[in-house]
Amino acid sequence: MLQERLTVQDNMVVTLAYTLRLKDGRVVESSEESEPITFIQGAGEILPALEEALYGMAVGEEKEIWLAPEDAYGPRRADAYQVVPRSEFPEDFPLAPGVGLYVYTETGEAFPAYIAEVGPDTVTLDFNHPLAGEELHFTVKILALRPATPEELEHGHPHEG
Ligand code: ZN
């Protein structure tokens, strides 16, 4: 009995082991520390350029994928910084460079930001994505593949690995 070899296509649930490194080799994220990610191919759950590079891969296959900043989190923008008074933070807020937070506009929209600098009276917020301006190097391996169920396709995400 011949069996069709499953490869990554649209509407397949993909279980992916990955390590994400920066250009200098520093590891940013790895499924060895967290968990492999599971997503529906073609549903836009992961970076589009990463998704694009996975098409046609089979279970067990590994690949090195390099993404330029413009294919990842975009360039780092010099105008994406904002200085706010320290008094705007609750007293117990952990004011330290690198701490992530959400800034809410008057209309209730939330923007993720990171603390870039803490001064005596002010805090500088960086609205750039932490990986903006970085070339990303993914090492990926397909662990499992299966067709998504109609319900999963309707929701746009897998319900189990
Ligand atoms: Zn759901």
Side-chain angles (χ1 to χ4, degrees), residues 15-27:
T15 305
L16 189 77
Y18 70 98
T19 298
L20 168 56
R21 293 183 182 83
L22 300 183
K23 204 175 180 181
D24 63 8
R26 188 154 51 93
V27 174

Side-chain angles (χ1 to χ4, degrees), residues 151 155 157-159:
E151 196 192 17
H155 291 198
H157 58 238
H159 288 158

Side-chain angles (χ1 to χ4, degrees), residues 38-134:
T38 301
F39 56 91
I40 299 176
Q41 179 76 4
E45 292 188 80
I46 61 172
L47 282 174
L50 178 61
E51 189 172 60
E52 194 61 43
L54 301 178
Y55 281 106
M57 287 182 74
V59 174
E61 204 174 320
E62 293 182 62
K63 198 169 181 180
E64 307 279 324
I65 300 163
W66 292 89
L67 299 187
E70 47 276 23
D71 289 328
Y73 293 99
R76 181 157 284 276
R77 289 171 39 222
D79 62 354
Y81 293 87
Q82 196 184 323
V83 179
V84 297
R86 242 183 125 128
S87 58
E88 287 200 11
F89 291 86
E91 255 176 53
D92 57 353
F93 195 90
L95 286 177
V99 171
L101 54 106
Y102 281 96
V103 176
Y104 292 89
T105 63
E106 279 171 15
T107 56
E109 223 179 327
F111 289 94
Y114 288 83
I115 294 177
E117 218 178 291
V118 180
D121 304 311
T122 59
V123 176
T124 304
L125 297 178
D126 180 0
F127 287 87
N128 283 294
H129 187 281
L131 294 176
E134 300 283 359

